[in-house]
């Protein structure tokens, strides 16, 4: 099967060569556990993106319906991993109120996710940015200290930046230090960027999870986002149907177990074709 991508804007100088997709690629059938074509392509897409962003070799992820859904998945995993009690079984009322931290750029998505998770929009605090537009690490530490003193349980920080920027990399390292010191889950949203083919981007290498808006970066219309997770087992546990379910490996073909839909369409094809068009080595 030959797939060509005619409408992709050329921002990198990479040739728009046809991409050969092995086997029949057909929506839900390709995404099911009875087929390996869809999951293989989706894993390859996520593995290439994770490598490019400097995440470890055992990181994993999948394509989401939208960038907002990727933030929801990340905050669900963060909440369950950092709450400090069996929140899936006992709910939010079994412990102190939760707190998350965001910038002006990430606050709307974070507040929306906090609302869906039952913590409420006010659980997300806005942390000021530094001169480069990244979250101010010192202000984050101060906000966490204040919340702990007032009886809140901090769980996650939501940051955003261009991983091709050295200044962003230094700023995110400072935020990562603050997250490690305070026990926060660090979720990073990749802003649209354009870099030469073959470049290696390390700005988000210390994040617990990374969200990529495929629509704005790869210029695709149907694959809304990609969520990458340093430890895929955290997402598997967060979405397991029961607490004693076996935790699936994000690198196997049970991608449908790593999110809220129990059945999922094959959403990765367009993003993978766009990726191979811009960076044929992917």
């Amino acid at each position: 099967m030959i797939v060509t991508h005619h409408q992709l804007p050329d921002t990198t100088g990479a040739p728009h060569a046809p991409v050969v997709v092995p086997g029949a690629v057909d929506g839900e059938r390709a995404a099911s556990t009875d087929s390996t074509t869809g999951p293989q392509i989706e894993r390859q897409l996520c593995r290439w993106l994770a490598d490019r962003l400097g995440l470890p070799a055992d990181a994993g992820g999948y394509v989401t319906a939208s960038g907002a859904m990727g933030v929801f998945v990340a905050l669900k995993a963060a909440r369950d991993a950092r709450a400090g009690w069996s929140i899936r079984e006992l709910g939010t009322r079994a412990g102190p109120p939760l707190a998350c931290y965001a910038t002006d750029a990430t606050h709307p998505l974070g507040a929306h996710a906090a609302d869906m998770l039952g913590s409420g929009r006010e659980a997300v605090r806005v942390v000021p940015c530094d001169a480069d537009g990244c979250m101010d690490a010192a202000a984050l530490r101060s906000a966490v200290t204040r919340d702990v003193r007032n009886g809140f349980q901090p769980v996650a920080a939501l940051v955003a930046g261009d991983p091709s920027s050295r200044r962003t990399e230094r700023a995110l390292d400072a935020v990562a230090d603050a997250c490690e010191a305070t026990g926060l889950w660090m979720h990073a949203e990749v802003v649209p960027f354009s870099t030469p083919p073959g470049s290696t981007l390390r700005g988000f290498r210390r994040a617990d999870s990374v969200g990529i808006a495929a629509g704005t970066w790869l210029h695709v219309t149907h694959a809304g986002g990609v969520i990458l997770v340093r430890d895929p087992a955290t997402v598997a546990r967060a979405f397991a149907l029961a607490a004693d379910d076996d935790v699936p490996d994000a690198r196997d073909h049970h991608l449908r177990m790593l999110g809220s839909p129990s059945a999922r369409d094959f959403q990765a094809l367009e993003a993978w074709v766009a990726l191979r068009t811009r960076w044929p080595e992917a």
Side-chain angles (χ1 to χ4, degrees), residues 12 14 37 67 73 155 193 195 197:
T12 63
T37 302
V73 170
V155 293
F193 65 96
T195 54

Side-chain angles (χ1 to χ4, degrees), residues 26 35 45 54 87 138 150 177 213 230 232 242 255 276:
D26 139 19
S35 169
L45 169 70
I87 193 167
N150 292 330
D177 288 340
R230 174 176 295 275
L255 295 175
R276 290 293 306 273

Side-chain angles (χ1 to χ4, degrees), residues 157-253:
L158 284 75
V159 300
D162 181 346
S164 64
S165 165
R166 291 295 182 186
R167 291 189 300 180
T168 297
E169 183 175 351
R170 289 192 293 270
L172 292 179
D173 269 338
V175 171
D177 288 340
C179 288
E180 289 179 4
T182 56
L184 291 175
W185 176 291
M186 179 179 170
H187 176 73
E189 283 289 309
V190 177
V191 301
F193 65 96
S194 176
T195 54
S199 297
T200 300
L201 310 172
R202 302 293 176 183
F204 291 172
R205 68 192 184 281
R206 295 175 63 189
D208 293 291
S209 56
V210 177
I212 300 171
T216 54
W217 182 37
L218 294 174
H219 306 287
V220 297
T221 56
H222 296 107
V226 177
I227 178 69
L228 304 172
V229 188
R230 174 176 295 275
D231 179 7
T234 57
V235 176
R237 285 192 292 268
F239 289 95
L241 295 180
D244 57 353
D245 278 356
D246 291 334
V247 174
D249 189 332
R251 290 164 294 176
D252 73 12
H253 58 272

Side-chain angles (χ1 to χ4, degrees), residues 47-64:
R47 181 67 262 152
W48 190 89
L49 291 169
D51 287 342
R52 190 171 175 79
L53 293 170
L55 293 173
D58 55 354
Y62 61 98
V63 176
T64 59

Side-chain angles (χ1 to χ4, degrees), residues 28-166:
E28 186 174 347
R29 185 177 183 181
S32 73
T33 57
D34 297 324
S35 169
T36 59
T37 302
Q40 283 179 352
I41 291 176
E42 193 159 348
R43 286 198 303 272
Q44 182 177 341
L45 169 70
C46 293
R47 181 67 262 152
W48 190 89
L49 291 169
D51 287 342
R52 190 171 175 79
L53 293 170
L55 293 173
D58 55 354
Y62 61 98
V63 176
T64 59
S66 66
M69 181 53 66
V71 173
F72 172 79
V73 170
L75 282 192
K76 175 69 164 66
R79 186 200 71 167
D80 295 357
R82 299 291 196 268
W85 70 92
S86 298
I87 193 167
R88 290 197 66 197
E89 304 302 317
L90 304 175
T92 57
R93 291 182 294 178
L98 304 177
C100 297
Y101 308 88
T103 63
D104 283 331
T106 59
H107 179 268
L109 292 176
H112 185 56
D115 177 21
M116 291 193 292
L117 290 169
S119 298
R121 297 174 63 86
E122 290 187 356
V124 183
R125 286 82 163 102
V126 177
V127 178
C129 292
D130 59 19
D132 295 321
C134 293
M135 181 179 284
D136 186 291
L140 173 61
R141 289 175 185 261
S142 297
V144 172
T145 300
R146 182 170 57 252
D147 276 336
V148 171
R149 186 170 59 244
N150 292 330
F152 290 87
Q153 174 62 48
V155 293
L158 284 75
V159 300
D162 181 346
S164 64
S165 165
R166 291 295 182 186

